[in-house]
Amino acid sequence: MPANTIDIHAHILSEETIRLLQSEAPKVAPKLSQTDEQFGTLDVAGSVYRHFPRGGWDLDRRLRDMAASKVDVQVVSVCPQTFLYGQPPALASVFARIQNEQLAKLVKARPEHFRAIATLPMQAPTQAADELRHAVTVLGLAGAQIGSNVAGKNLDDPELEPVWATATELDAFMLVHPINVAGADRLSSYYLTNLIGNPLDTTIAAACLVFSGVLERYPTLKICLAHGGGFVPYQAGRFLHGWQVRTETKQKLPKPPTDSIKRFYFDTIVHSKEALAFLVGTAGTDRVLLGSDYPFDMGMTDGVLQVRGLSVGPAGQAPILGETAQRLLGRVAAKPSTRAFA
């Protein structure tokens, strides 16, 4: 039998999670309205997303869509709209705990179909590190999804050091997802906040992790960059050239950025077989992981088929489709605690 296909980039926001969050802070918590067979309207803290796909909250729809896409297992994470990094830390911590417990509940109920990674109150790094520890060691989650910036602060902010240290200690899988993208004032037309803003902000996050020396200080830190790594694979040579000719790039990174860049993992969400072939050829088959961005319309539902169309053959496709994800996620040894669901 072929190994399971594992999608490491998929989002979920169940109706039960919405109800629990609503009971804590009705003005900030998600609201789902105007639902039909395809979409609903999602309102989070006054920010409205009008075509939230039904698979985001409807588990039966999700399972049907997974089967149609030939995905066996999703590594689910929260919708980025619910990061809420601009809210007070106490509220963000409560929201993170509720969402993480709900993710763990889903994994416990459907272990054959789901793994999960946590959300963290990144505006309070010590609390974020504590929540990551709880998520991994108590809830049995495999790591965390974090934003590409924290309310405008880049990921090289020294205050985030406890997060990187804890993630390294726990061997946690960390997915960097764009949020609050740079240049939004110039990207308001044509959906450019997503088309350009999302990969741009991921690129900023990656560059900050590289040039600040975070990846040198924590060489075993497992960081996956969403949406094919943004512009990183295509511009990695520019990072290296810049380090060679500019003093600014050497302030915190005394060696070329080559090794740091090679430590990143990338998902397959690039929307082009040619781009995917370039990514795999550049990063290697052991550094690219199947992703879909389910259920959003900017996701990639044919990821398994695209990977199976790569010229690297079955031996090269297998790590991308699930073998590497199984290795990365399986190394988290913690088991969900029964008291977490009492």
Side-chain angles (χ1 to χ4, degrees):
M1 293 291 290
N4 282 341
T5 54
I6 303 175
D7 173 2
I8 58 89
H9 181 171
H11 305 288
I12 194 167
L13 179 59
S14 72
E15 291 179 283
E16 182 180 2
T17 302
I18 292 173
R19 286 194 295 270
L20 291 170
L21 296 175
Q22 276 286 324
S23 70
E24 292 291 336
K27 292 184 179 180
V28 176
K31 302 177 183 68
L32 186 62
S33 62
Q34 299 176 321
T35 60
D36 58 30
E37 288 302 306
Q38 298 299 326
F39 301 104
T41 295
L42 181 65
D43 182 337
V44 183
S47 179
V48 179
Y49 188 93
R50 299 195 182 281
H51 291 91
F52 183 54
R54 189 173 186 92
W57 74 89
D58 185 329
L59 190 59
D60 290 337
R61 171 66 65 85
R62 178 179 295 262
L63 290 169
R64 291 197 300 270
D65 290 345
M66 288 170 62
S69 297
K70 304 184 186 304
V71 168
D72 299 316
V73 177
Q74 280 185 347
V75 182
V76 289
S77 53
V78 306
C79 296
Q81 291 90 339
T82 66
F83 284 169
L84 298 178
Y85 292 160
Q87 296 295 323
L91 179 61
S93 295
V94 170
F95 271 39
R97 179 62 57 88
I98 289 172
Q99 292 187 92
N100 292 339
E101 288 180 343
Q102 287 295 299
L103 291 171
K105 183 177 179 180
L106 173 63
V107 173
K108 184 181 180 183
R110 300 288 187 113
E112 73 279 16
H113 289 302
F114 299 107
R115 294 291 304 272
I117 52 177
T119 187
L120 308 176
M122 292 290 285
Q123 65 268 59
T126 300
Q127 291 169 244
D130 291 343
E131 183 61 28
L132 177 60
R133 186 178 301 280
H134 179 86
V136 172
T137 63
V138 177
L139 299 180
L141 304 190
Q145 174 191 221
I146 62 172
S148 54
N149 66 86
V150 182
K153 291 184 178 180
N154 286 331
L155 296 187
D156 61 345
D157 191 311
E159 292 185 357
L160 294 176
E161 207 73 9
V163 177
W164 311 132
T166 303
T168 300
E169 176 194 341
L170 298 172
D171 199 28
F173 176 78
M174 306 293 283
L175 175 65
V176 175
H177 195 287
I179 190 73
N180 184 37
V181 301
D185 56 328
R186 296 182 57 200
L187 301 174
S188 58
S189 301
Y190 320 119
Y191 204 47
L192 296 184
T193 49
N194 190 302
L195 304 186
I196 293 175
N198 276 8
L200 170 62
D201 222 75
T202 299
T203 305
I204 295 171
C208 288
L209 290 170
V210 167
F211 288 108
S212 67
V214 167
L215 296 176
E216 290 298 322
R217 292 195 299 278
Y218 301 102
T220 62
L221 184 61
K222 298 188 298 194
I223 295 281
C224 181
L225 302 176
H227 311 129
F231 309 130
V232 172
Y234 186 66
Q235 294 293 348
R238 189 173 182 87
F239 286 12
L240 176 58
H241 179 79
W243 186 90
Q244 291 169 337
V245 302
R246 300 294 306 190
T247 59
E248 300 94 330
T249 59
K250 299 182 179 67
Q251 291 176 0
K252 298 181 179 179
L253 186 67
K255 57 183 292 188
T258 311
D259 289 344
S260 289
I261 294 170
K262 287 181 178 179
R263 293 190 178 108
F264 286 126
Y265 294 89
F266 305 87
D267 72 21
T268 58
I269 306 169
V270 292
H271 302 285
S272 160
K273 63 180 182 180
E274 293 84 4
L276 181 58
F278 175 82
L279 174 61
V280 171
T282 301
T285 59
D286 61 338
R287 288 279 160 174
V288 180
L289 307 171
L290 179 68
S292 69
D293 210 357
Y294 185 91
F296 294 106
D297 59 6
M298 283 301 294
M300 215 172 85
T301 60
D302 62 345
V304 172
L305 293 178
Q306 286 210 13
V307 172
R308 287 180 173 158
L310 290 170
S311 62
V312 293
Q317 295 163 15
I320 303 169
L321 289 172
E323 284 183 357
T324 299
Q326 183 62 49
R327 173 174 56 82
L328 294 175
L329 305 174
R331 287 172 64 192
V332 179
K335 302 294 184 184
S337 168
T338 55
R339 67 183 177 85
F341 309 102

